[in-house]
Each structure stands twice: as C-alpha cells, then as structure tokens.
Amino acid sequence: MRRLIALAMLVVFLAPLSVFAKEGMWLPILLKKYNIEEMQKMGFKLTAEDIYDINKASMKDAVVIFGGGCTGELISDKGLLITNHHCGYRQIQAHSSLENDYLTNGFWAMSQKEELPNPGLSVKFLVRMADVTAEAMKGITDESKEQKELKKNIKEIEKAAEKDNGYKAIVKPIFNGNQYFLFVYEEYKDVRLVGAPPSAIGKFGGDTDNWMWPRHTGDFSLFRIYADKDGKPAEYSPNNVPLKPKKFFPISMKGVKTNDFTMVFGYPGSTARYLPSQAVDRIMNVSDPDKVAIRTLKLRLMNEDMEADRGVRIQYAAKNASTSNAWKKWQGEIKGLKRLNAVERKLNQEKAFKAWMEQDPARQKTYGQVLPQFEELYKALKPYSKAYDYYSEIIYRGTDIFSIARTVDRLIKRSFNYDAAKRQKAADALKASIDKHFKDYNQPTDEKIFTELLKVYGKEVDCIFQPEYFCKNYAKLESGKFTKKIYRKSILTSKTKLNALLSNFTPANAKKLEKDPIIRLYREFVDAFTVKVWPNHAKISTKIGAVQKLYMKALMEMNKGKALYPDANFTLRVAYGKVEGYQPKDGVTYKHFTTLDGIIAKDNPEIYDYNVPQRLKELYKNKDYGQYADSSDGKVHTCFVASNHTTGGNSGSPVVNAEGHLIGVNFDRCWEGTMSDIMFDPERCRNIVLDIRYALFLIDKFAGAGYLLDEMQLVK
Ligand code: ARG
Ligand code: GLU
C-alpha cells in the first residue's frame, strides 16, 4: 500500500511539467527583438530572417491567406498548395454533383489539365508589413477629431503602398489601437483544385470528434496557384501557368517526437487576451452559456429530423456543422475558464496594475479612471449585451426563414431607389442563393426550430427590447397554430411563388412582399432591435474600446522591455512551442500522436462519421505503407498535438520543425484548451496537427496521385 502511494507521488512529480508551452502569436517583424533567442534555445535552428525578410526569399513567401478565413502553404516550385479539407470544403462542394460527388468520393487531378478552377477563390501573399504608428497618428492633436484624421491618414498610407504595383494594402490597429501596422498583399485569383480526400477521411469523425483529441481526421486538400507567364496575378485563363513561388516548404519525412520544437506560421483570426475581469465574467458566466443553451435546443431539434430522414440529413449537414462548431468550442471555453479561475486571475492582474499605477501620480492621472470605468461600462452594457446575444443567435442566424427574410428584405429596401433595369438585375442576382436556400430547406424542421427559438426569445429577452405585441403574445406560440398560420400564408416558404414575384420584380411586387407576414414579423424584430438595443450597445462598446485602449497602453508601459504580443487580428503570426501530449483530466494522460490503428478501431459503416473507405482498410490490412510509416513503430501516424498558441484562421497553417521543414498542417485545437483565446493554459492548450506523412500516404497510396510527390522536396 505504502509503495503504491510512493509510486503515485512519484508519478505526480514526474508528470510532464510543461515548461515549453508558449503562449503568444507574434508579429514576424518583431521576432528578432523579442523571440528568436528563446526560439533557438528551444531548438530552432534558423534565424529571424529565414522566417521573415523583405530582401530575400523567406518562409513568409510560402504562406498565404487562403480564401476568406484560412491559411495555406506552398509545397512545390509549381505553385502547389496545401490547406485543410474544411477550408477547401466550399470549393469541393461546388464541384460536386450527384454524378461527380467529390465530397463523398474525393477528387484527384491526375494531371494539371484536370485541375478545377474556382471562381471567387483567391490567395494572398504578404509582400511586407511595417509599423506605421507615427504616420497614422500624424497631426492628431485634438481627441475629438481623432477618428476622422486617423481614417484620413490610414487611407493615405494605404494608397501610397498600393501605388503602381497592383498590391492590396491595409492598415490594421494593433494593441487595441495603440499601434498601427501596414500589411501589403499580392493576390492571386486563379487557384485550382488539385486534390481532396473523401469526406470519410477529410472530415473523419465529423462533428463528434471536432475539437477533440485523440483525433484521426485527414483534414487536407490540395490546390495550385496559377499566374500569367511573367508570374504575375491574373484572372483565370487556360493560358495561365503554375506560379513559381519565391519559396516553398521542404517536407520532413522524419516525423515528430515529444519535445521537438514546432512553429506555426499563419493567420490567427481573433483573440481577447487583455480583457478586464468584468468582460471575462460576462463571457464565461452569461454570454457563452446563453449562446450554448440556444444552440443546444436548436441542434436537438435539427438532429431529431436528421436522424429520422436521410434527405434532411444531407440538407442540414452544413448547417449542423457550423452551428455545432462554435457551440462545442464555447463549452470548452467555459470549462477552461472556470478551471483557471479566470475572473479571479484577472482581478489579481488588476490589483497588480492598480499597485503599479499608485506608485506614480502621473500614472494615476492618466490611468486612474480605467478600472472604475470598466466596472461602470460593463454594468451598463449588461442588458444590451444579453439582448444582443439573443438577437444574433435567434433572429439573425437562428432560423432558415428569417435568413431568407433578411436577404429578401434587403432587396426590397434597395429596390425602391432603383430604376426598372437595376431592380430586376438585383432580383435576378438573388436567384442562386434562393436556389441554395430551398435545396437545403425542410419546412417542418425550420417551423419547429422557429417556434421553439422564438419562445425562448419571448421568455428570455427583456420585454422592452422586443416588438411590443410579440412580447405580450409569445405564449401563444405554444400551440404551434401561429407558426403554422404564418408559414402557410407566407410567400417565403414557397420557391415557386417567391421566384415568380422576383422574376418580374415590379414595385407592386416589392410592396406585395412587404406585406408578407414573415417579412412583417421579421421587420418588427429588426426594428425593436435597431431602435432599442443597437445604438446603446454600440455607444457603450465604443466607450469600452477607448478604455481598453488606455488599459492596454498601461499594460505595455508596465511590461516595458518584456515581450507582449498583440491580440490576433487575422494578420500573419508566429506561434512556437513543442510537440507534447497533455493531461485532459485527473488520472488521464494523452499521447502526442494517433495512428491508422485508431481509424480502423473507430470504423463503423453504420455511423456516417466513422465509415472508413474500403481502400484505406485494404492498405491497412496489407500494411502497404511505403515510405510513410513512422520508423519508431512501423505505423502510419495520422495526427499529433503541440503546444502552439493558435486560433480560428490558423486552419491550414504550416507547422514546421527546427529546420523549417513542414511536419504538418494545423487544423484544430483540443477542447480542454479552447479558452486560449482569452486565457492560455500551458498545461492543456494544444493545437491539433495533421501529420504531413499521412497526407502524403493518402495522396500516393490511397489516391494513386503519387506523381504530385515528384514536385515536392522530401527530406528523409
Ligand atoms: N474546429 C475546427 C475549426 O474551428 C474545424 C471545423 C470544421 N470541422 C467540423 N467537423 N465542423 O474550424
Ligand atoms: N478549425 C479552426 C479554423 O478553421 C482552427 C481551430 C482553432 O480555432 O484553433 O481556423
């Protein structure tokens, strides 16, 4: 017994103490100043210039913004690019039809001729970035004119940066507006689909495994960037040629071990690291739980119908995925923040700030109002932020019928200022989205969700923020009669009727639509919100923004000389850490990697998310792994976790080793660590990475597209 206790104590002491996990998403031009020394101590063998340089090719020339919200990286000198399956999902879906169902079966171009163009998709390379704080603030003396002058300065900076070069420049605030940085991009618009595994691999585990470790998702897709014959951006043309990039990533075949250095280089979307205690309190105790509850209800109703009917299952697959993605993340966030005692920690930080401030009357004068104002403003915001959350979750994105009402209402309102030709053109432009809406629309499901969510709205939102009549009568929704009646009367539930009105979109028809019971009800909600909630919410939020800016300024002063990283804002960042597993809860330790064994173990043809393709099972049975098995255990490793600080937008980001070689593609975070947007926990925050060798194995052995490997540079 005693030996057992001694053993247990030993285990506790030997438990992997994460000394390497590294919070932070760092600006590449400041690495030299703040990070490179530490990175090298952790094992990195390259220099800051190897990551970012404007005079010679560097890693940054191999990283792109992919589409509107993901990252991608170049892996050949012929413009070949890898990103996530879920990042290319929309393109893969767009090329899919019943005859060529690439989502289900995968797609592989067997030569460049077979690659598929994607109108609307573009990638952006960062040409350069610069601190332009001084220029942005130039001439600003009077606080009341600050916003206007700032805007003017920024316009000028952007214009100058775009002069005669075809680039796109954007100035973004950093550190809550205490600094401004310029980002100059070169955008390529001819980007073609090269390959994607079937969803059963690229989305393996679906929403059940989403945000979870251990994970076995082959979440990647391949694209190729095309340029004109001079290598310059060009609209799609069959005459375009594959882009020869300045730089691409060599691919490591060596795999990873615990404690190996890792770096993620990509575009994290947004974090909120420097919030005060009141804001964190609101997120974890009010806002996240409210939004989770609404979506729990919605998902339950949706799932009932999806389980009962295969057609509905297909119709609502994408809606279900996007509803459940944030729903699941918020739950992890709440748990994580609670576990960290986040509010208490914030209060302690505020105490430290106060003590620092009180050391110096000048500081006191500048920052003395920060904490009391936070207190006051967040209290004032409370009723509005609750109404805001319910509005955005229920009225804005909760139901199909109000989504189509929003689209149609926007058209109606604009159309009254248009001449006949323009009006009809605007109506015709809606055709595609209306088709898509009805293709994925099941009225009984929507009716049910609508009734239940609106009941919640009536019950939870303060009556003064609701349409008056609705608030008094929402209880009548109970019987379902009201919903049934307006759904039956409305034009918006019938594709034929709606299209008939839109195909001859006269002012009379616009007026007719205005009288539609759904449009009228929708407008009442919008009006109540825009009059009673929105202006107050915006006014208080702006004030909070100004106080936050001041607080941030103080924190920067307080931490002078120490490295602080600015919140993510979808600009290129470096995160570095180590390959390491973690302990998700007491008594459980997770390894840092998963293998094909785990995929086979999860195989279940009955369950959509776990239906392993036959071909993959054959490869497994024959141990036909080629050069892709790990040398340590002879298995195909599928994913691994590391302690890099990442967030949404980092999907598709290159994960590189100490030599700067690609070891994986980032695609998720572990559930126990999703609070890292607000508070990072080195013990439990991990990013989830696709092992690049699994992708190569799939391309070569599974898909028979091994010719693509010829253009890559494999480091064995
Ligand atoms: N959780 C990842 C992200 O935030 C992946 C989402 C896509 N996958 C899914 N099963 N819905 O984007
Ligand atoms: N899947 C996320 C994305 O699409 C990355 C996961 C995260 O939030 O860290 O960017």
Side-chain angles (χ1 to χ4, degrees):
M1 186 66 181
R2 209 161 344 137
R3 263 183 58 192
L4 259 181
I5 293 173
L7 204 70
M9 280 176 64
L10 200 69
V11 171
V12 171
F13 282 114
L14 292 182
L17 256 184
S18 191
V19 282
F20 297 117
K22 220 12 235 180
E23 172 177 6
M25 304 167 173
W26 305 92
L27 286 161
I29 53 170
L30 299 178
L31 291 177
K32 209 168 174 163
K33 190 165 164 194
Y34 293 126
N35 313 96
I36 196 69
E37 219 172 285
E38 185 185 40
M39 291 169 76
Q40 288 167 344
K41 254 189 222 145
M42 288 167 67
F44 190 50
K45 301 221 173 77
L46 306 180
T47 64
E49 289 79 9
D50 292 322
I51 299 173
Y52 179 94
D53 199 331
I54 46 168
N55 300 313
K56 64 174 183 36
S58 58
M59 253 184 234
K60 78 133 170 64
D61 299 310
V63 180
V64 295
I65 295 181
F66 182 87
C70 279
T71 307
E73 58 274 15
L74 277 292
I75 50 170
S76 90
D77 68 351
K78 295 189 179 67
L80 190 63
L81 172 157
I82 190 164
T83 183
N84 290 147
H85 185 264
H86 79 260
C87 294
Y89 200 76
R90 204 181 317 158
Q91 283 74 33
I92 305 165
Q93 186 185 31
H95 291 296
S96 296
S97 60
L98 279 177
E99 302 78 57
N100 291 311
D101 188 351
Y102 300 139
L103 268 186
T104 304
N105 306 318
F107 168 79
W108 304 96
M110 287 304 164
S111 71
Q112 284 180 12
K113 274 199 209 73
E114 290 178 18
E115 294 170 359
L116 302 172
N118 302 284
L121 174 67
S122 77
V123 298
K124 295 192 195 87
F125 289 87
L126 179 69
V127 179
R128 66 187 175 95
M129 60 190 288
D131 183 346
V132 294
T133 311
E135 293 96 307
M137 307 279 200
K138 203 173 66 192
I140 300 178
T141 43
D142 183 350
E143 229 177 275
S144 67
K145 290 196 205 119
E146 184 178 323
Q147 285 312 316
K148 222 169 132 195
E149 287 180 25
L150 193 63
K151 237 188 213 158
K152 205 179 104 218
N153 289 347
I154 286 176
K155 269 253 153 61
E156 270 165 28
I157 299 168
E158 290 172 346
K159 221 169 97 194
E162 288 175 350
K163 195 166 183 292
D164 303 328
N165 54 23
Y167 295 156
K168 284 211 153 80
I170 178 162
V171 171
K172 285 193 170 180
I174 295 275
F175 289 121
N176 301 116
N178 284 287
Q179 294 177 6
Y180 287 85
F181 274 58
L182 166 71
F183 301 88
V184 182
Y185 297 105
E186 185 165 40
E187 181 176 21
Y188 284 85
K189 293 185 172 169
D190 187 351
V191 185
R192 303 184 196 168
L193 178 63
V194 175
S199 292
I201 288 175
K203 210 180 172 240
F204 183 75
D207 290 302
T208 318
D209 286 8
N210 190 20
W211 296 112
M212 304 291 247
W213 183 254
R215 186 71 155 275
H216 300 89
T217 312
D219 198 345
F220 79 98
S221 55
L222 297 171
F223 287 80
R224 193 186 300 281
I225 307 170
Y226 281 77
D228 71 12
K229 59 182 191 330
D230 304 317
K232 285 280 145 207
E235 294 293 333
Y236 168 79
S237 155
N239 299 328
N240 286 347
V241 293
L243 172 74
K244 193 168 171 9
K246 289 199 200 83
K247 165 96 189 156
F248 67 91
F249 284 102
I251 294 174
S252 170
M253 296 297 284
K254 293 180 192 153
V256 297
K257 298 185 307 297
T258 291
N259 281 342
D260 279 357
F261 173 87
T262 54
M263 175 183 131
V264 178
F265 199 19
Y267 284 86
S270 107
T271 57
R273 166 69 177 77
Y274 304 99
L275 291 176
S277 52
Q278 298 87 347
V280 174
D281 184 22
R282 183 176 68 93
I283 292 170
M284 66 189 271
N285 293 317
V286 184
S287 184
D288 277 359
D290 279 353
K291 291 187 291 188
V292 167
I294 295 168
R295 288 195 185 197
T296 301
L297 173 62
K298 179 172 168 180
L299 284 164
R300 180 170 62 74
L301 300 168
M302 212 189 266
N303 286 333
E304 271 169 22
D305 288 13
M306 287 171 77
E307 269 154 37
D309 185 318
R310 231 185 119 239
V312 179
R313 165 166 202 113
I314 295 169
Q315 284 181 316
Y316 281 73
K319 288 178 208 171
N320 195 292
S322 66
T323 307
S324 82
N325 195 39
W327 169 77
K328 202 159 176 183
K329 190 209 138 173
W330 290 325
Q331 293 175 67
E333 187 168 88
I334 298 170
K335 273 196 160 206
L337 290 172
K338 284 207 170 132
R339 184 176 160 271
L340 289 175
N341 287 321
V343 174
E344 208 176 304
R345 281 191 197 212
K346 285 286 179 183
L347 285 169
N348 285 336
Q349 286 164 14
E350 284 157 23
K351 259 190 213 143
F353 158 71
K354 199 155 172 258
W356 169 83
M357 187 180 69
E358 282 166 356
Q359 286 167 8
D360 178 342
R363 288 178 196 161
Q364 186 101 339
K365 195 165 163 235
T366 320
Y367 304 119
Q369 283 309 303
V370 166
L371 294 181
Q373 280 188 355
F374 271 144
E375 187 65 30
E376 187 186 313
L377 288 168
Y378 275 105
K379 197 182 268 166
L381 188 69
K382 215 177 232 170
Y384 303 113
S385 63
K386 180 168 180 183
Y388 188 98
D389 284 341
Y390 278 80
Y391 182 85
S392 84
E393 285 296 314
I394 294 178
I395 308 300
Y396 191 80
R397 61 168 66 86
T399 66
D400 292 335
I401 200 78
F402 272 179
S403 292
I404 195 75
R406 184 171 70 242
T407 309
V408 172
D409 193 31
R410 221 183 282 146
L411 171 73
I412 301 172
K413 286 197 170 122
R414 276 185 299 152
S415 75
F416 292 123
N417 304 319
Y418 289 169
D419 62 31
K422 207 169 166 192
R423 194 167 53 235
Q424 192 53 49
K425 209 172 145 207
D428 291 343
L430 287 194
K431 179 121 185 41
S433 60
I434 286 170
D435 281 348
K436 192 170 176 329
H437 167 85
F438 281 102
K439 176 178 161 279
D440 292 340
Y441 185 62
N442 184 47
Q443 189 174 322
T445 306
D446 182 47
E447 247 185 83
K448 199 164 73 169
I449 293 174
F450 181 86
T451 309
E452 295 307 315
L453 289 194
L454 253 62
K455 267 198 256 172
V456 172
Y457 201 81
K459 200 162 124 212
E460 297 294 334
V461 176
D462 197 324
C463 221
I464 55 169
F465 299 136
Q466 296 190 35
E468 215 180 307
Y469 174 81
F470 178 80
C471 187
K472 281 191 196 125
N473 292 287
Y474 74 86
K476 290 190 187 148
L477 285 168
E478 204 65 57
S479 72
K481 270 196 221 142
F482 172 72
T483 321
K484 213 171 241 132
K485 196 167 125 198
I486 56 171
Y487 269 68
R488 213 176 44 236
K489 272 193 170 171
S490 175
I491 298 161
L492 299 190
T493 50
S494 157
K495 183 175 170 179
T496 329
K497 282 190 206 156
L498 183 57
N499 275 336
L501 280 187
L502 292 181
S503 62
N504 177 24
F505 197 50
T506 57
N509 278 348
K511 286 227 168 74
K512 194 164 171 194
L513 270 173
E514 267 191 321
K515 293 207 187 85
D516 186 272
I518 296 276
I519 293 276
R520 275 171 45 200
L521 185 66
Y522 172 72
R523 280 189 177 177
E524 281 184 40
F525 281 103
V526 176
D527 289 348
F529 179 77
T530 31
V531 173
K532 298 173 195 163
V533 182
W534 172 250
N536 293 311
H537 190 275
K539 205 164 73 200
I540 301 168
S541 299
T542 307
K543 281 189 191 158
I544 288 177
V547 182
Q548 181 72 44
K549 180 179 169 187
L550 205 56
Y551 185 44
M552 191 68 236
K553 186 165 176 240
L555 292 178
M556 289 161 83
E557 220 176 293
M558 218 174 126
N559 291 286
K560 210 168 201 145
K562 279 188 233 156
L564 276 194
Y565 68 94
D567 271 322
N569 61 349
F570 205 54
T571 59
L572 187 57
R573 302 294 178 92
V574 170
Y576 52 98
K578 293 260 171 178
V579 171
E580 49 181 335
Y582 65 105
Q583 300 185 325
K585 56 185 167 196
D586 188 37
V588 179
T589 301
Y590 282 159
K591 271 205 248 186
H592 69 274
F593 68 95
T594 55
T595 71
L596 206 46
D597 292 2
I599 296 186
I600 301 302
K602 281 182 183 172
D603 178 36
N604 184 346
E606 304 282 303
I607 300 174
Y608 185 84
D609 290 339
Y610 297 108
N611 189 359
V612 179
Q614 206 47 44
R615 172 87 190 119
L616 192 57
K617 288 197 250 193
E618 269 162 36
L619 290 167
Y620 178 76
K621 203 169 121 217
N622 302 328
K623 300 278 170 277
D624 187 0
Y625 300 158
Q627 55 176 327
Y628 309 105
D630 195 84
S631 59
S632 72
D633 56 10
K635 294 178 179 180
V636 173
H637 288 204
T638 43
C639 300
F640 64 89
V641 279
S643 50
N644 299 286
H645 193 183
T646 55
T647 188
N650 269 125
S651 274
S653 298
V655 183
V656 302
N657 63 13
E659 282 83 26
H661 301 156
L662 193 69
I663 48 178
V665 182
N666 192 74
F667 71 94
D668 213 354
R669 260 177 298 165
C670 74
W671 198 63
E672 299 84 358
T674 48
M675 70 297 191
S676 65
D677 291 346
I678 294 159
M679 199 174 272
F680 189 83
D681 178 2
E683 294 294 334
R684 289 195 184 174
C685 291
R686 298 290 179 271
N687 58 316
I688 303 179
V689 185
L690 166 75
D691 191 312
I692 194 67
R693 295 168 303 167
Y694 181 41
L696 299 184
F697 164 76
L698 290 168
I699 295 169
D700 183 3
K701 292 285 181 179
F702 177 83
Y707 79 95
L708 288 167
L709 272 74
D710 297 341
E711 57 184 279
M712 301 175 197
Q713 186 186 324
L714 306 186
V715 184
K716 295 190 182 159

